[in-house]
Amino acid sequence: MPHVLDEPPSRLMGTLSIMGFAAEINLRDTANALGKRNLTVLENVPEKNAKQSRLRAEIEEQVVEEMSRSTVGTRERRKLVLVSQVALMFERMGSRTVDIAQFCDRLIREPKPSRVTEIKKLIEHAVYMTDRAATGLLEEDIDMAKMAAEQKLAATELNGQIHRELTLLMASGGEVAVRAELLLRIVSKTNEIIDEAGQLAQDVLNFLDRPEL
């Protein structure tokens, strides 16, 4: 994502970019930590997420300030509403990343963790989608928004595959079922991020497809 836009309100877009970059990096690091069984990285996830609520509050203040300007037109107001939606998505993404990291920590400590490659890939889908959807709004780039929407199809297909495999493992009982349950919790939190990013991508597409409003 860009760090700042050269068009007003640049301070608002800059804050949103910082928030998004932090959320995406934290989730990506969590996925890599799962693949490498790195407990230290997972333990640092909550601390790295600590500023997200404050950043979202700053964004909401800036949105209200921009909305109050008499020169703001209908299209600008629509974009500001989407900016607020993106900030909320990133805040939720951060909270879900903390949950995912905790589940990953428990999974790694299990004697025989399994299916982590597919889970890591699903998390990477989530990072990709949020980045493309948000960048589509910030840069008003319809191609970016389309990439996010198209990625939803691949993520949904992978999710179905993972669920089928984990359902079979759950039926085995014992330690295998315990691991499968942890994996399902990670998948569930990841899919919440994917679903929200997919909805944002569609909202951005609707915004960019109707520039006259």
Side-chain angles (χ1 to χ4, degrees):
M1 292 177 60
H3 290 289
V4 65
L5 293 186
D6 292 327
E7 60 183 30
S10 59
R11 184 168 70 94
L12 171 58
M13 295 306 183
T15 306
L16 185 64
S17 295
I18 291 170
M19 187 179 186
F21 183 76
E24 291 164 7
I25 287 295
N26 213 14
L27 183 57
R28 183 180 290 115
D29 286 348
T30 298
N32 291 333
L34 174 61
K36 297 178 181 179
R37 299 171 59 82
N38 190 327
L39 293 173
T40 301
V41 170
L42 296 175
E43 290 169 358
N44 292 332
V45 168
E47 180 181 352
K48 291 181 178 179
N49 185 63
K51 295 181 179 179
Q52 292 297 76
S53 294
R54 177 178 60 79
L55 287 172
R56 188 200 163 208
E58 290 181 10
I59 288 170
E60 292 302 331
E61 290 176 2
Q62 292 171 44
V63 166
V64 171
E65 180 182 339
E66 291 298 327
M67 285 282 199
S68 67
R69 298 181 188 277
S70 59
T71 55
V72 175
T74 301
R75 187 176 189 278
E76 288 75 16
R77 289 181 181 276
R78 289 176 62 208
K79 185 169 183 177
L80 287 168
V81 169
L82 284 173
V83 165
S84 180
Q85 180 181 332
V86 174
L88 178 59
M89 179 189 72
F90 282 136
E91 183 180 36
R92 289 173 174 166
M93 181 178 176
S95 178
R96 287 161 177 156
T97 298
V98 171
D99 291 338
I100 290 170
Q102 291 173 348
F103 292 139
C104 288
D105 182 281
R106 291 173 56 188
L107 181 66
I108 290 172
R109 294 178 190 276
E110 288 289 326
K112 299 178 181 179
S114 59
R115 301 300 195 279
V116 296
T117 301
E118 293 90 344
I119 303 297
K120 181 175 179 291
K121 187 174 181 180
L122 187 68
I123 295 174
E124 289 168 350
H125 278 313
V127 174
Y128 180 95
M129 287 180 61
T130 54
D131 179 73
R132 297 305 186 274
T135 301
L137 176 64
L138 268 65
E139 296 187 348
E140 297 199 14
D141 187 333
I142 196 168
D143 289 333
M144 282 288 184
K146 286 179 178 179
M147 288 179 189
E150 291 168 358
Q151 194 74 11
K152 180 70 162 58
L153 299 176
T156 299
E157 181 179 350
L158 179 59
N159 176 55
Q161 173 191 331
I162 293 172
H163 265 278
R164 287 191 295 272
E165 294 177 355
L166 293 181
T167 299
L168 291 175
L169 289 177
M170 288 286 289
S172 302
E175 293 183 358
V176 173
V178 172
R179 292 195 296 274
E181 182 182 2
L182 283 173
L183 289 166
L184 281 171
R185 291 185 181 186
I186 296 171
V187 169
S188 177
K189 288 294 180 180
T190 303
N191 277 322
E192 289 175 7
I193 298 172
I194 288 172
D195 287 342
E196 195 161 9
Q199 182 59 58
L200 172 63
Q202 191 57 57
D203 291 342
V204 172
L205 285 173
N206 292 339
F207 169 71
L208 296 176
D209 277 339
R210 305 176 68 184
E212 72 281 0
L213 295 182

